[in-house]
Each structure stands twice: as structure tokens, then as C-alpha cells.
């Protein structure tokens, strides 16, 4: 197990004791010194720790002075200052000098764990060198991007060409293909390798908090903002900021990201001071940003700012010749981690592993290999030991129809599974072999089924509906009322009209709901049973104009 090192610089023994108690973990090694001078000597002798927690007021030189000297020694040092005497000027000066964060005493155990977890993740990203050179010796890199296929050689070539520059890079590919590894490899082989590397998963942070996470906030700017907090653009100053899953970012946040990329300026949430940030932006997504631009979900100008250099990672099913090398690499890593011999893979098992479609790509392959090693009963893993879904063997995904693309995460409220197809007019479920279920060819192409989180549902009425709504039930009443309208839409299509029955009905329901509440989107979304975000997208999609009356 790799242990990370934390150095606590504080002259209060009781505080250090409490620190040790809260952070008592097998993967953390904690050291403490009493002064700034001691911290400088400790780091000079022992090397760079993963994280430094330092009090602002200490005997001898204070925390700010020590911070400046430590940053001169190593720009990648993550230093968190702490004090019971927080002032605005002190915080500003600390952040200008390169502090990773600033927290006031006293703080709760949960707050301490949260800050430490975040900082150690950043330290790991900067410390673990990622190589894209297959011939690099194991002890020269913590992680290596594996593959000798032509597709992967093109990826290596792109990394090598762009790493030394400051160009913005957009990395695309299905979930589990290794997009973050590519971003780390670009960073580690760049001229900014001696500066911070900060990764932000845009999909994992609620929309209401993402802006604060990126740009920071002032004290009192919103509920829970009890102190000023720097954003990732401040923390990564001079280094690299990796925006993962950028396709999940809201349009309002996209606008602010665009401004930073255009002129390098931004403001904290609730602040008026204009700040400058020199960062290199790397971004990744498993979505089709081109399609999102057409549907109004992603800004075209931001896309062109991000897509200066485009690296597309191929799915594992398109580079099956790399699977044996990947398996061997994972076995070596697992052997080092557990410290004992691992089983070998039989020839028949290897053939089955290469025939598998791997919808979860390299991430799924690693998880399968780990499971096989941990559950192996003999020195050799046989084909019979594999627990793969047989229906996915030797499967080549069908080409997607125009306007459709594969997504990995279902929309809010959708229960179709982990994968589905999205188009301008809805979603299409995937079958167990991760192939799209399309209708049989007919005289006219069938429209895709409505998404489960949309305004209409093909589900039958729930039990007890008749007792509430009377004769026939609510679902039957609605179906009866829609029958003549549906026939009219079909007739219009037959006359050459380009109409979607689902779109016509959905647009009418949205218009009715918005007019009922005089354009109030919050109330309308509650009436319709959808999220406000979904409603906003539908309003933009149908070109609706809102004042006190909604017009199409």
C-alpha cells in the first residue's frame, strides 16, 4: 500500500495530538515539527511531503514567510495555512503566495477529513507520473498508457506533439477508455510539470456548487459560505487545470469558463475583485459536443476554444490486440500491490477475454482482472472461471443512425440503465449486448420511444388509479383524448410534413403548463414532473418566448 505523507507545522502539542487522532489511517504517515525553520529543515532532509498543514502564527518566522520559502524550494508543495485569527488581508496574501487552501481554527473533524482527502488526491495526481511510452521501464512511471495498436500509436503521437506547448486539449472517448490518464501524461511531459495539476470532475459536483469550486467564493456569498475560499483556477495558477466530463457543465458555467479562457480573468462568487489566472486547460468528455451544440446544450464558442487539439481515445473493442498487454500490465500492478504471486491466464481464457465486447472499456477490464486474481483457486485462470455476459461475446456494435450518439449516464429520473442513445428527439434503449434496439424497417421510420423522465409515459396506470379518477382511469382518459390528435399528426406526416408526434404533444403540454403559472418555470416544472433544467432545455429547443404569456 502506497502511503502519503503529511507534515504538520504547529507549536501546540494538543492540536497535533488531535490531528493525529482524526487522521489515523493506514495510508497516511503523519509527521510534525514546531516551527517554520524546522519545516524547512525537515523538507530539505526528508524530501517533499504530499501535504503541509501549517499554523500562521508560530515562534520565529511566521507562516506566510515560511510559505514563501517553501514555495521557492518546490512549486508543487501543497500548503494549507490555518489560524484562529483570520483576516481578509491575510487570506489574500496567502493565496497570492501560493497556498493551496486556508482554513480557520477551530475546525471540525469532518472538515479536516474533507480538506485532506481533496488535497491528497491532488498530490497523488502530481506525484504519479503517467507515461505514454510503452518501452518505459516500470520503475520510471507510476502509471503507463498501454497499447501498441495503430489507434494507440496515433494517440501517443498526439500527446508527444502537444505536451510541450500550452495549447488547450480536448480528450474524447467512451467512459473507461483512459481520458484522465491522457490528461496526466500531457501534464507530466509538459513545461508545467513543476507546477500544480488540479482535476475537477464537472459531473460529480452539483451545478449550484460548481461555479464556487472553479472560481472560489467570498464569505457570506451564499448559505454555507462561512469563509472566503479559493477556486481551482486560483489554486492551479501557473499549472494545469483538467476539466473532466465538461459536457455535463451548465450553460451559465460554460459562459464563465469561456471568459477565463479568452482573457484569463474571473471573479469569485459574490466578489467584485477581478482576478487573473495563468493555467493550461485540458478537458475531457464522453459526450458528442457537436450534437450538444446543435441541441443548444453546449456553447459553440467554448467548444472551439477547447478543441484546439483533439485527441480521441478508441474503445477497447476497436483495439483488441492490446488486451493481452493490458492484462499483463494489470497483473504486474496487482502483484506489486498485494506482494504475492498472481495466477496466470490460460490460452482459452485469453481468447474469451479478447472476444468480449468490453462495454466498460479498460476500466472494466481492470476490474475483471482484479476480481479474477482475488477469487482464483488455482495458479491458472481458466476459461470456465470467467463470468462474462455471453451475449456480448464476438459482438460488433451496429453503426448509429445519423443524429444519434452514445451516452454513459442516464438523464435525471431515467431508469433505462447505464447506456442509452440520444438524438434530437429522444432516447433509445440499449439491449443486453449494448446494441441499439431499432424498430423493424417500415414504410416510414418509427420515432424513438419517449424517455422515461419526459412528459409522457407508455407505462400502464398504477394500481388504484380507477378509484381516484373514476370511470376508465386517468391514463385511459388521456389516451382517448390523444387518439384523434395523433391521427392528425400521422396524416400531416403522410402529406410530407416533418413532424414528431412526441414533440408536438410535449410542446403543447409545456405551453399549457407555463401559461397556467404565468411563465414561472419553477412551478411549471413541478406541474410537469420534470426538473427545471430539463424544462429550460425544452423551452430553448421549441423556441418558446416567455413573458406573462408563453408564445411559440
Amino acid at each position: 500500500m502506497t502511503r502519503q505523507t503529511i507534515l504538520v507545522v504547529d507549536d501546540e502539542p494538543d492540536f497535533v495530538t488531535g490531528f493525529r487522532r482524526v487522521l489515523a489511517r493506514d495510508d497516511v504517515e503523519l509527521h510534525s515539527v514546531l516551527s517554520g525553520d524546522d519545516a524547512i529543515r525537515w523538507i530539505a532532509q526528508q524530501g517533499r511531503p504530499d501535504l503541509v498543514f501549517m499554523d500562521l502564527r508560530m515562534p520565529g518566522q511566521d507562516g506566510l514567510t515560511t510559505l514563501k520559502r517553501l514555495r521557492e524550494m518546490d512549486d508543487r508543495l501543497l500548503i494549507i495555512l490555518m489560524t484562529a485569527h483570520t483576516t481578509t488581508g491575510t487570506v489574500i496574501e496567502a493565496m497570492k503566495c501560493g497556498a493551496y487552501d486556508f482554513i480557520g481554527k477551530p475546525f471540525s473533524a469532518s472538515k479536516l477529513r474533507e480538506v485532506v482527502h481533496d488535497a491528497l488526491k491532488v498530490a497523488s495526481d502530481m506525484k504519479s507520473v503517467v507515461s505514454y511510452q510503452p518501452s518505459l521501464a516500470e520503475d520510471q512511471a507510476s502509471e503507463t498508457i498501454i497499447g501498441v495498436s495503430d489507434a494507440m500509436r496515433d494517440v501517443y503521437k498526439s500527446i508527444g506533439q502537444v505536451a510541450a506547448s500550452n495549447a488547450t486539449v480536448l480528450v474524447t472517448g467512451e467512459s473507461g477508455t483512459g481520458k484522465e490518464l491522457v490528461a496526466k501524461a500531457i501534464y507530466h511531459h509538459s513545461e508545467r510539470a513543476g507546477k500544480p495539476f488540479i482535476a475537477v470532475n464537472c459531473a460529480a459536483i452539483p451545478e449550484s456548487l460548481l461555479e464556487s469550486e472553479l472560481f472560489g467564493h467570498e464569505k457570506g456569498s451564499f448559505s454555507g459560505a462561512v469563509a472566503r475560499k479559493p477556486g481551482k483556477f486560483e489554486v492551479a495558477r501557473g499549472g494545469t487545470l483538467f476539466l473532466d466530463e465538461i459536457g455535463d457543465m451548465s450553460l451559465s458555467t460554460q459562459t464563465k469558463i469561456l471568459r477565463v479562457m479568452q482573457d484569463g480573468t474571473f471573479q469569485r462568487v459574490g466578489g467584485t475583485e477581478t482576478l487573473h489566472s495563468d493555467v493550461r486547460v485540458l478537458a475531457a468528455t464522453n459526450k458528442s459536443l457537436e450534437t450538444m451544440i446543435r441541441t443548444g446544450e453546449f456553447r459553440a464558442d467554448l467548444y472551439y476554444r477547447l478543441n484546439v487539439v483533439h485527441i480521441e481515445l478508441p474503445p477497447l473493442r476497436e483495439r483488441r490486440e492490446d488486451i493481452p498487454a493490458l492484462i499483463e500490465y494489470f497483473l504486474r500492478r496487482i502483484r506489486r500491490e498485494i506482494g504475492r504471486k498472481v495466477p496466470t491466464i490460460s490460452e482459452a481464457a485469453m481468447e474469451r477475454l479478447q472476444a468480449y465486447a468490453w462495454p466498460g472499456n479498460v476500466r472494466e477490464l481492470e476490474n475483471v482482472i482484479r476480481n479474477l486474481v482475488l477469487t482464483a483457486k488455482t495458479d491458472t485462470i481458466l476459461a470456465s472461471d470467467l463470468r462474462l455476459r455471453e451475449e456480448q461475446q464476438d459482438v460488433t456494435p451496429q453503426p448509429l443512425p445519423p443524429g444519434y450518439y452514445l451516452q454513459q449516464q442516464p438523464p435525471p429520473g431515467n431508469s433505462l440503465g447505464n447506456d442509452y442513445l440520444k438524438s434530437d428527439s429522444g432516447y433509445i434503449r440499449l439491449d443486453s449486448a449494448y446494441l441499439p434496439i431499432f424498430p423493424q424497417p417500415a414504410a416510414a421510420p418509427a420515432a424513438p420511444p419517449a424517455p422515461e423522465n419526459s412528459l409522457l409515459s407508455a407505462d400502464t396506470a398504477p394500481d388504484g388509479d380507477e378509484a381516484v379518477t373514476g370511470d376508465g382511469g386517468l391514463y385511459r382518459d388521456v389516451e382517448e383524448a390523444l387518439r384523434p390528435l395523433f391521427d392528425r399528426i400521422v396524416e400531416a406526416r403522410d402529406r410530407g410534413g416533418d413532424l414528431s408526434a412526441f414533440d408536438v404533444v410535449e410542446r403543447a403540454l409545456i405551453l399549457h403548463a407555463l401559461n397556467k403559472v404565468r411563465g414561472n418555470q419553477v412551478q411549471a416544472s413541478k406541474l410537469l414532473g420534470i426538473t427545471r433544467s430539463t424544462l429550460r432545455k425544452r423551452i430553448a429547443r421549441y423556441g418558446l418566448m416567455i413573458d406573462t404569456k408563453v408564445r411559440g
Side-chain angles (χ1 to χ4, degrees):
M1 177 185 297
T2 302
R3 304 188 74 188
Q4 291 183 283
T5 304
I6 298 177
L7 177 64
V8 180
V9 188
D10 197 296
D11 61 336
E12 298 181 21
D14 290 344
F15 176 79
V16 176
T17 300
F19 211 100
R20 290 183 182 277
R21 186 183 303 115
V22 173
L23 295 179
R25 291 164 38 181
D26 292 338
D27 59 341
V28 171
E29 183 178 324
L30 194 143
H31 301 269
S32 64
V33 293
L34 299 176
S35 68
D37 290 327
D38 290 341
I40 292 171
R41 283 192 292 270
W42 192 96
I43 293 175
Q45 295 171 3
Q46 304 295 328
R48 172 164 56 96
D50 294 287
L51 179 62
V52 176
F53 261 92
M54 184 162 59
D55 194 14
L56 188 64
R57 297 189 176 186
M58 299 179 294
Q61 62 180 4
D62 62 17
L64 278 179
T65 303
T66 306
L67 169 66
K68 295 174 184 177
R69 292 185 60 185
L70 290 178
R71 293 284 293 178
E72 289 174 358
M73 294 171 63
D74 192 334
D75 274 340
R76 290 177 297 173
L77 264 176
L78 296 182
I79 303 173
I80 298 177
L81 288 179
M82 50 191 177
T83 183
H85 310 281
T86 304
T87 65
T88 300
T90 302
V91 173
I92 293 174
E93 184 64 23
M95 300 315 300
K96 285 182 177 179
C97 293
Y100 175 77
D101 207 344
F102 193 108
I103 59 178
K105 290 181 180 179
F107 43 80
S108 65
S110 59
K111 176 64 175 178
L112 177 60
R113 293 190 186 99
E114 177 187 342
V115 171
V116 168
H117 178 272
D118 178 47
L120 290 182
K121 171 64 169 63
V122 173
S124 176
D125 288 340
M126 290 192 289
K127 192 175 183 179
S128 301
V129 178
V130 176
S131 170
Y132 63 94
Q133 304 171 30
S135 60
L136 193 66
E138 281 189 46
D139 58 355
Q140 292 180 259
S142 301
E143 294 181 278
T144 305
I145 305 174
I146 301 296
V148 295
S149 60
D150 290 341
M152 289 307 297
R153 291 186 187 279
D154 290 339
V155 171
Y156 303 149
K157 187 185 301 182
S158 297
I159 295 174
Q161 291 171 339
V162 75
S165 72
N166 281 319
T168 304
V169 182
L170 178 62
V171 186
T172 61
E174 295 178 11
S175 180
T177 49
K179 297 184 289 296
E180 184 169 355
L181 279 181
V182 170
K184 290 180 181 178
I186 293 173
Y187 160 73
H188 286 300
H189 292 82
S190 73
E191 294 180 354
R192 295 178 182 249
K195 303 291 184 178
F197 175 86
I198 308 295
V200 179
N201 188 330
C202 301
I205 303 173
E207 181 182 337
S208 58
L209 298 178
L210 182 58
E211 184 179 349
S212 169
E213 186 73 16
L214 292 171
F215 306 112
H217 63 255
E218 298 290 346
K219 180 179 180 180
S221 56
F222 56 85
S223 177
V226 296
R228 170 182 280 183
K229 179 177 174 59
K232 300 307 184 189
F233 273 96
E234 286 184 78
V235 175
R237 186 183 293 114
T240 302
L241 183 63
F242 174 50
L243 301 177
D244 198 8
E245 305 297 355
I246 197 168
D248 291 83
M249 186 180 289
S250 69
L251 287 170
S252 61
T253 307
Q254 290 175 32
T255 302
K256 295 177 175 64
I257 292 291
L258 177 64
R259 178 182 176 184
V260 180
M261 297 187 65
Q262 286 177 331
D263 56 23
T265 64
F266 64 95
Q267 292 179 336
R268 299 188 190 97
V269 176
T272 58
E273 180 187 4
T274 298
L275 304 173
H276 297 266
S277 182
D278 169 29
V279 300
R280 181 186 191 178
V281 175
L282 308 177
T285 182
N286 61 4
K287 297 183 177 180
S288 169
L289 298 186
E290 295 91 342
T291 303
M292 293 182 69
I293 290 171
R294 291 197 295 270
T295 59
E297 299 172 277
F298 202 85
R299 293 186 59 120
D301 44 7
L302 176 58
Y303 171 75
Y304 293 119
R305 283 280 180 179
L306 293 171
N307 197 26
V308 176
V309 177
H310 181 199
I311 298 178
E312 183 172 5
L313 282 173
L316 191 53
R317 61 181 175 271
E318 293 181 6
R319 57 182 189 107
R320 296 174 189 265
E321 62 268 39
D322 292 334
I323 291 176
L326 281 164
I327 292 174
E328 179 60 29
Y329 172 72
F330 292 140
L331 288 175
R332 289 199 305 268
R333 286 185 58 180
I334 296 169
R335 183 174 63 243
R336 290 198 301 269
E337 291 172 8
I338 64 178
R340 60 179 173 84
K341 183 180 178 182
V342 296
T344 58
I345 308 289
S346 71
E347 185 176 344
M350 183 66 75
E351 290 177 357
R352 284 193 60 194
L353 290 169
Q354 284 189 272
Y356 184 53
W358 297 110
N361 292 294
V362 179
R363 183 184 298 125
E364 182 184 5
L365 174 61
E366 181 177 7
N367 291 339
V368 167
I369 296 302
R370 286 184 179 277
N371 180 268
L372 289 170
V373 169
L374 294 175
T375 59
K377 298 179 180 179
T378 64
D379 291 339
T380 303
I381 294 173
L382 307 175
S384 57
D385 296 326
L386 303 181
R387 296 294 181 265
L388 305 175
R389 283 178 285 184
E390 294 297 331
E391 63 270 21
Q392 291 184 297
Q393 300 293 322
D394 298 310
V395 168
T396 301
Q398 301 173 15
L400 305 184
Y404 287 85
Y405 64 93
L406 183 65
Q407 286 201 166
Q408 298 296 325
Q409 298 295 331
N414 189 290
S415 58
L416 298 181
N418 292 329
D419 293 271
Y420 59 91
L421 297 176
K422 181 179 180 183
S423 76
D424 293 346
S425 55
Y427 300 89
I428 288 184
R429 180 168 55 89
L430 301 187
D431 69 7
S432 59
Y434 284 73
L435 300 179
I437 297 178
F438 297 118
Q440 294 296 321
E452 292 186 15
N453 67 330
S454 73
L455 304 173
L456 294 179
S457 174
D459 294 340
T460 57
D463 294 340
D465 179 60
E466 288 193 17
V468 175
T469 62
D471 185 25
L474 174 61
Y475 279 63
R476 295 195 187 98
D477 292 344
V478 173
E479 291 167 6
E480 188 67 28
L482 282 176
R483 186 172 292 113
L485 296 176
F486 183 79
D487 292 341
R488 287 186 59 188
I489 297 172
V490 173
E491 290 174 5
R493 288 177 61 92
D494 291 342
R495 291 195 300 269
D498 186 20
L499 295 173
S500 162
F502 178 75
D503 286 352
V504 170
V505 175
E506 184 181 59
R507 181 179 181 276
L509 283 172
I510 290 175
L511 278 169
H512 182 75
L514 287 167
N515 279 320
K516 188 176 181 66
V517 296
R518 300 179 64 83
N520 187 307
Q521 295 183 35
V522 174
Q523 295 180 29
S525 62
K526 291 180 180 178
L527 288 177
L528 295 167
I530 59 177
T531 65
R532 186 180 179 187
S533 175
T534 299
L535 178 61
R536 284 200 302 265
K537 293 176 183 177
R538 297 297 193 272
I539 290 172
R541 175 176 172 178
Y542 297 127
L544 303 181
M545 305 293 292
I546 300 178
D547 41 40
T548 57
K549 184 176 181 180
V550 186
R551 306 184 304 278

